[in-house]
Amino acid sequence: MPELTLDGLRVTARPGTTVLAALQNAGLSPLRRSLSGEPRGALCGMGTCSECRAVVDGVTVRTCLTPVRNGQDVRRLLEVNRDF
Amino acid sequence: MSALHAIVIGGGMVGAACADTLARGGARVTVLEPGPVGGGATAASMGHLVVMDDSPAQLALTARSLELWEALAPALPPQADYHTCGTLWVASDDEELAAVEPKRQAYLAAGRRATLLTAAELSRTEPQLRPGLAGALRVPGDSVVYAPVVARFLLERAGATLRREAAMALTDGGVRLAGGVVLRADVVVVANGIGAAELLPELPLRQRKGHLLITERGAPAVNHQLVELGYLKSAHGGDGDSVAFNVQPRPTGQLLIGSSRQFERPDRDIDWPLLRRMLRRAADFLPALARTSALRVWTGQRCATPDHLPLIGPHPHLDGVFLATGHEGLGITTALGTAEALGAQLFGEPSALLAHDFTPARFGRVPEAIHA
Ligand SMILES: Cc1cc2nc3c(=O)[nH]c(=O)nc-3n(C[C@H](O)[C@H](O)[C@H](O)COP(=O)(O)OP(=O)(O)OC[C@H]3O[C@@H](n4cnc5c(N)ncnc54)[C@H](O)[C@@H]3O)c2cc1C
Ligand code: FES
């Protein structure tokens, strides 16, 4: 079974599931914050709303479309920085 | 005495700016806009407020427009995201760098600040750019803005009546709406962007499609709007499809990435091979982009004239009809200058812009069309 890290937490997930499912099973919610600091999380579950974004191995992806893989490093986008 | 009644066709950035100027001149203004205010090309744009020196008239119009933007800025709502980040015109090689000094002199003559950055200064100012670039021209007064918010703000400030209907035709002394209703007005301003080509097919207007991409937050940090000096070649060069490096930092930590140009592509579809070319070009200058995710991609239509200058002024044959269209890739920047020039023509006020010919009559005889 693939083993991955979610915000530093080591978990195993069933092959063929999504990173989103792994995050939800680990109770990690919200996934990110909007610019004004509001909590955001998966809405459509099918790649359309872009609300489920997180950083997987350094790249921002839609977690509902990203299958789990062994050794993945997943980070939520909880910090807000608006510079101006 | 009743006030002048003006109808402005189109609620994009240009129509909104014209409505605002007309209202300040004392006119009662009705704006016709079937879609959202600031939709159209305005919503598709980058909102770069940029001085360009392609021709003396363009330099005068863009430089004056930047002054008007600076005057407007304190009144804008925060959602307009107005931000003076300046532009860096990046030179890839010594040949491009040699073109910087005449460009700098032109900007100074137009009352804008502009400084030369050496290769070392450039990489200190924008460390994300690839090494080995020759230098840059820095134009610190250029800005960026989120134009749809400004369009809505100007229409509200004008106190204009917004009618959510399209103009189907121009009539003698007015406009015919769908369903046959005729609205009468003393002055009609045709400011519906590429829609003017349909309304007045005799005008020398062509559509020029562009692609834009916005990244996720957390994109590589960039401090200026970055444009390659080769941009002018691509912007005004031939009729073929072209791309150029043009990247804008958004205040959200995202990057807007342009630019592409294609004639006669009236659809809204993404041209994936062209988009790939555009992004490869951008990553050529900003290598870290290759690791950055896109959030959205869209297209928009610029409305181009043969000499890349807008049509501002009386229609050659139709009494009371004024044009304010054909702004191609500069209509956000030049909307304010356009409105000033139009106001000067209508109300007989002075404007240095009247020293240049922006009127449609500059193309000689425009074939007369039959207007019902
Ligand atoms: C990809 C791209 C990037 C760009 N980037 C920049 C930039 O960085 N800086 C810059 O200065 N410019 C930029 N531009 C150019 C700029 O967007 C346009 O020049 C500008 O938006 C034109 O404004 P407008 O009001 O004339 O047209 P539009 O914004 O298109 O508005 C016209 C309006 O008229 C309405 N309309 C059409 N037909 C009718 C009708 N018959 N009756 C009533 N209403 C009608 C439409 O619904 C629309 O809302 C860019 C353009 C594109 C496509
Ligand atoms: S939940 Fe909507 S895109 Fe993933």
Side-chain angles (χ1 to χ4, degrees):
Chain A
M1 288 227 286
E3 212 175 276
L4 50 154
T5 323
L6 308 173
D7 274 352
L9 181 75
R10 295 190 67 83
V11 300
T12 51
R14 220 177 313 136
T17 58
T18 61
V19 170
L20 174 63
L23 283 160
Q24 287 180 335
N25 288 341
L28 294 176
S29 156
L31 294 185
R32 57 182 200 93
R33 288 193 190 281
S34 76
L35 261 189
S36 48
E38 290 160 356
R40 291 286 165 87
L43 185 67
C44 72
M46 60 181 198
T48 303
C49 69
S50 288
E51 292 294 343
C52 65
R53 302 190 304 269
V55 179
V56 177
D57 295 334
V59 177
T60 309
V61 299
R62 283 168 287 179
T63 55
C64 71
L65 294 186
T66 308
V68 289
R69 272 196 204 93
N70 203 32
Q72 263 166 339
D73 178 49
V74 180
R75 287 172 195 280
R76 293 182 295 162
L77 289 159
L78 295 176
E79 258 169 60
V80 177
N81 33 34
R82 184 183 167 98
D83 36 307
F84 156 142
Chain B
M1 214 182 73
S2 70
L4 182 87
H5 180 214
I7 291 176
V8 176
I9 304 176
M13 186 60 213
V14 173
C18 291
D20 179 55
T21 295
L22 287 163
R24 279 187 296 156
R28 186 165 61 82
V29 184
T30 303
V31 174
L32 298 177
E33 172 56 70
V37 166
T42 298
S45 81
M46 263 183 152
H48 185 198
L49 308 177
V50 55
V51 179
M52 298 262 280
D53 63 334
D54 205 26
S55 64
Q58 188 190 64
L59 180 60
L61 182 61
T62 52
R64 175 63 184 148
S65 293
L66 260 289
E67 285 173 18
L68 294 167
W69 273 106
E70 282 151 14
L72 177 67
L76 290 174
Q79 296 85 340
D81 277 349
Y82 177 89
H83 182 44
T84 305
C85 60
T87 304
L88 285 189
W89 292 90
V90 179
S92 306
D93 53 31
D94 289 342
E95 190 193 337
E96 283 184 3
L97 193 62
V100 161
E101 186 51 26
K103 194 173 171 70
R104 192 176 79 88
Q105 291 299 336
Y107 280 69
L108 297 181
R112 307 302 300 176
R113 284 176 299 146
T115 55
L116 177 74
L117 298 187
T118 63
E121 287 164 340
L122 176 60
S123 61
R124 230 174 299 130
T125 311
E126 295 291 354
Q128 294 286 346
L129 281 170
R130 88 168 134 81
L133 294 164
L137 181 70
R138 177 164 186 258
V139 185
D142 284 357
S143 302
V144 301
V145 76
Y146 184 58
V149 167
V150 182
R152 190 175 336 137
F153 166 79
L154 289 176
L155 279 193
E156 277 169 16
R157 181 167 98 168
T161 305
L162 182 63
R163 276 186 80 137
R164 315 209 65 95
E165 285 172 278
M168 301 308 286
L170 298 172
T171 62
D172 201 11
V175 169
R176 198 175 68 234
L177 306 178
V181 175
V182 172
L183 289 186
R184 305 201 63 81
D186 305 300
V187 172
V188 174
V189 179
V190 178
N192 57 339
I194 196 60
E198 212 172 306
L199 205 57
L200 298 166
E202 72 275 18
L203 296 177
L205 298 174
R206 289 172 82 187
Q207 39 194 327
R208 210 166 182 195
K209 182 171 168 176
H211 289 71
L212 269 188
L213 179 149
I214 191 156
T215 70
E216 297 280 357
R217 283 187 261 153
V222 162
N223 305 306
H224 296 80
Q225 174 111 11
L226 302 174
V227 191
E228 65 174 299
L229 268 165
Y231 177 81
L232 278 179
K233 262 183 272 161
S234 111
H236 291 172
D239 271 11
D241 297 356
S242 66
V243 297
F245 170 60
N246 185 347
V247 163
Q248 174 184 107
R250 295 301 307 163
T252 52
Q254 297 169 283
L255 289 178
L256 265 177
I257 305 177
S259 66
S260 74
R261 288 171 193 264
Q262 293 172 290
F263 277 118
E264 268 75 65
R265 298 291 175 90
D267 55 273
R268 306 180 61 162
D269 302 347
I270 310 291
D271 179 338
W272 297 102
L274 189 77
L275 183 72
R276 203 167 303 130
R277 248 176 83 195
M278 182 178 108
L279 294 177
R280 215 175 284 139
R281 187 91 192 137
D284 220 26
F285 283 85
L286 281 177
L289 278 184
R291 295 273 301 158
T292 307
S293 308
L295 186 59
R296 265 185 310 127
V297 185
W298 64 91
T299 64
Q301 295 288 347
R302 308 175 183 94
C303 177
T305 65
D307 62 3
H308 310 289
L309 291 173
L311 304 177
I312 313 167
H315 187 285
H317 313 300
L318 298 172
D319 273 354
V321 174
F322 282 72
L323 305 176
T325 183
H327 293 77
E328 200 170 338
L330 282 174
I332 307 305
T333 304
T334 57
L336 301 187
T338 296
E340 179 179 280
L342 182 81
Q345 292 168 353
L346 274 168
F347 302 123
E349 284 159 8
S351 164
L353 290 174
L354 296 186
H356 300 272
D357 188 10
F358 296 106
T359 65
R362 72 180 182 273
F363 291 112
R365 239 188 74 78
V366 173
E368 220 159 316
I370 299 172
H371 297 285

